[in-house]
Amino acid sequence: MKILKSSYHIFIFLFLLTQFSSYAQEENNALVHEFELELEAEYRYFPNQGAFEGQKDHFPSIAIQPEYSLQWNNGYESINATGFFRLDQDDNRTHWDIRELYYQKAKNNWELSIGLKKIFWGVTESNHLVDIINQTDAVESFDGEDKLGQPMIQYTLSTNYGNFDIFYLPYHRKRVFPGEKGRLRFPLVIDEDAINYESSAKEWRQDFAIRWSHFFGAFDIGLSHFYGNGREPLFAFDTSGNINAFYPVINQTGLDLQVTHNAFLWKFESIYRSSEAQDFFALVAGLEYTFSNINGNGLDIGVLGEYLYDDRDELALNALQNDIFFGSRIALNDTQDTSILIGGIADLESSSKIFSIEGSRRLGNSWKVELEGRFFSNIDNSEFILSNFREDTFLRLSISKFF
């Protein structure tokens, strides 16, 4: 993956900043350094033969993720950095990225961040509709939880009327798709450089976003608006079967709401996205109920259910247009931090279903093992996205060492 051109200027800025901070600090205001390193060995196995030529079944890989932070001015100023690199059999999944590299300053009731950063919005489990700031790292995970670092200037103001976040986003990151050997791909391999832009400024179009968030007793609410290059490309097929794709300029208004009532969490996310090429409305609504400390041994079992709707029907890139999600979250609350998430998504208009299981457990003080499974069942031919993945049921095992 090509790292964005503007990262060079950010590196220079942060380097000069560290030199200045070292020069300007007082003797009683020492710098605080923290460094962590995660090494991961991963193996993904696809039991079914690939639907398209060139696809493989076995994918061993290794990944490294270093994290570094530098604080001064009694913690009110800091530099934070997170890198990532993976070596995989799929050439497109062999990639590196600067997940985060930013300077942050806090003072009184405001906070300023400059650099590459990851921002998460949302409350629902099955789909994060309002989460629009960062580009999805589509080759890293199927569920869209992994994100690429986004260049930004973020200003946060905390008031009695809630928190106000303003974002200036000077550069757009393109989404990378699996290569010829990879799974969970289209019949034709999509080259990220072949995806065009609606805007003549292309990736250098200046984007903006704003979000207000607040809590009222049991209510946590967020209201956001984004204007700029969309994070999802729009796809179209020509008469020769070729895929044409471009990033539209969009306006997206989002609402996320969570209500806590005893053991219930009521969750809601909704967006309205408009552009010259496409307007649509989408929502996710549901709840989570937790049975806590069962039999007094610390076991927590949560039951989840959500409804997903998307105006785009089969053209929805996430394939979640009229579906129901159900699942259970199990936490043993033991010293090894053992947890399991089991779930499934069923299409209410067809036979298509996706089942999943995710589990993790610490081994000793510095090891962690994770297990993930995704199972595609009775995928309907009318599913624009999922019909390409019907043979891509997989199991994933990873072991990580932390330093």
Side-chain angles (χ1 to χ4, degrees):
M1 178 185 297
K2 298 178 181 178
I3 207 66
L4 58 158
K5 301 174 184 176
S6 58
S7 63
Y8 170 79
H9 301 95
I10 297 173
F11 270 123
I12 297 297
F13 168 78
L14 293 178
F15 174 78
L16 294 176
L17 187 64
T18 56
Q19 299 305 306
F20 172 78
S21 64
S22 298
Y23 173 80
Q25 68 163 339
E26 300 177 358
E27 292 184 2
N28 62 348
N29 187 19
L31 296 174
V32 178
H33 302 260
E34 289 187 7
F35 177 77
E36 295 181 2
L37 179 66
E38 177 184 356
L39 299 179
E40 178 198 62
E42 179 192 81
Y43 174 69
R44 294 188 303 157
Y45 172 60
F46 294 79
N48 301 328
Q49 182 177 354
F52 311 118
E53 185 177 357
Q55 290 184 308
K56 302 296 184 180
D57 300 333
H58 303 271
F59 292 86
S61 71
I62 57 174
I64 179 172
Q65 180 167 289
E67 297 185 18
Y68 175 74
S69 67
L70 171 66
Q71 298 182 1
W72 68 97
N73 191 15
N74 297 318
Y76 288 100
E77 294 183 77
S78 65
I79 291 175
N80 305 276
T82 301
F84 180 81
F85 171 77
R86 181 176 296 282
L87 178 64
D88 190 90
Q89 184 173 201
D90 176 11
D91 293 339
N92 281 19
R93 198 166 184 255
T94 295
H95 65 298
W96 67 285
D97 182 47
I98 301 175
R99 297 298 203 212
E100 293 190 308
L101 177 59
Y102 64 95
Y103 161 73
Q104 186 174 75
K105 179 180 177 62
K107 187 174 183 180
N108 299 326
N109 64 335
W110 60 266
E111 191 174 276
L112 178 68
S113 299
I114 303 175
L116 291 97
K117 195 175 181 182
K118 290 199 299 182
I119 301 294
F120 175 76
W121 298 342
V123 295
T124 55
E125 181 69 36
S126 55
N127 192 17
H128 307 304
L129 286 174
V130 302
D131 193 29
I132 186 68
I133 295 294
N134 293 82
Q135 178 61 271
T136 298
D137 190 345
V139 294
E140 186 59 27
S141 65
F142 171 75
D143 57 14
E145 297 286 345
D146 291 279
K147 301 290 183 177
L148 302 178
Q150 170 63 45
M152 69 177 68
I153 297 177
Q154 176 190 5
Y155 178 78
T156 301
L157 180 65
S158 299
T159 73
N160 294 332
Y161 305 100
N163 293 334
F164 297 86
D165 289 282
I166 301 173
F167 299 87
Y168 166 62
L169 312 169
Y171 188 90
H172 178 267
R173 306 289 307 275
K174 284 188 173 183
R175 185 173 299 194
V176 179
F177 295 89
E180 182 179 3
K181 299 177 183 178
R183 292 298 193 99
L184 301 163
R185 69 168 174 86
F186 294 109
L188 298 177
V189 176
I190 300 176
D191 183 355
E192 62 174 308
D193 293 329
I195 302 181
N196 299 312
Y197 288 88
E198 177 185 349
S199 170
S200 60
K202 298 184 178 180
E203 64 266 36
W204 292 103
R205 190 189 189 284
Q206 309 301 286
D207 302 338
F208 300 90
I210 186 170
R211 184 172 189 262
W212 167 77
S213 59
H214 199 25
F215 66 92
F216 310 89
F219 294 81
D220 285 280
I221 186 172
L223 183 63
S224 59
H225 187 80
F226 172 91
Y227 175 54
N229 283 326
R231 275 34 182 170
E232 291 182 349
L234 292 182
F235 291 95
F237 293 89
D238 61 24
T239 56
S240 301
N242 298 315
I243 299 177
N244 300 316
F246 71 97
Y247 291 97
V249 177
I250 67 170
N251 277 281
Q252 176 175 305
T253 300
L255 170 68
D256 58 277
L257 174 66
Q258 180 169 286
V259 182
T260 305
H261 178 65
N262 297 326
F264 282 97
L265 289 177
W266 300 88
K267 304 179 181 184
F268 179 85
E269 289 188 34
S270 178
I271 63 169
Y272 178 74
R273 185 183 300 173
S274 62
S275 67
E276 290 292 331
Q278 184 186 69
D279 298 347
F280 73 92
F281 167 79
L283 67 83
V284 183
L287 62 86
E288 178 175 355
Y289 182 85
T290 302
F291 299 91
S292 301
N293 196 23
I294 298 175
N295 295 330
N297 60 10
L299 174 65
D300 293 343
I301 298 180
V303 180
L304 304 95
E306 294 177 351
Y307 171 70
L308 305 98
Y309 173 79
D310 193 309
D311 264 349
R312 293 173 291 178
D313 295 326
E314 287 78 13
L315 295 178
L317 191 59
N318 55 27
L320 304 173
Q321 70 277 6
N322 186 21
D323 301 65
I324 189 77
F325 166 79
F326 53 90
S328 178
R329 192 194 319 273
I330 303 171
L332 300 187
N333 291 315
D334 55 357
T335 56
Q336 290 79 36
D337 195 24
T338 306
S339 64
I340 302 173
L341 177 62
I342 304 172
I345 295 177
D347 193 304
L348 297 179
E349 298 177 355
S350 71
S351 60
S352 301
K353 298 178 180 64
I354 306 174
F355 301 99
S356 64
I357 181 170
E358 300 175 51
S360 65
R361 179 181 174 89
R362 287 206 310 262
L363 303 176
N365 295 324
S366 60
W367 293 84
K368 183 179 181 180
V369 60
E370 294 182 343
L371 177 66
E372 177 186 4
R374 304 282 175 174
F375 310 91
F376 299 90
S377 175
N378 297 320
I379 303 301
D380 194 276
N381 289 330
S382 65
E383 296 277 4
F384 171 69
I385 300 297
L386 289 182
S387 60
N388 298 287
F389 306 156
R390 57 163 48 96
E391 302 298 333
D392 289 340
T393 288
F394 71 90
L395 293 171
R396 169 183 167 270
L397 174 67
S398 72
I399 299 176
S400 299
K401 169 69 173 178
F402 297 87
F403 299 89

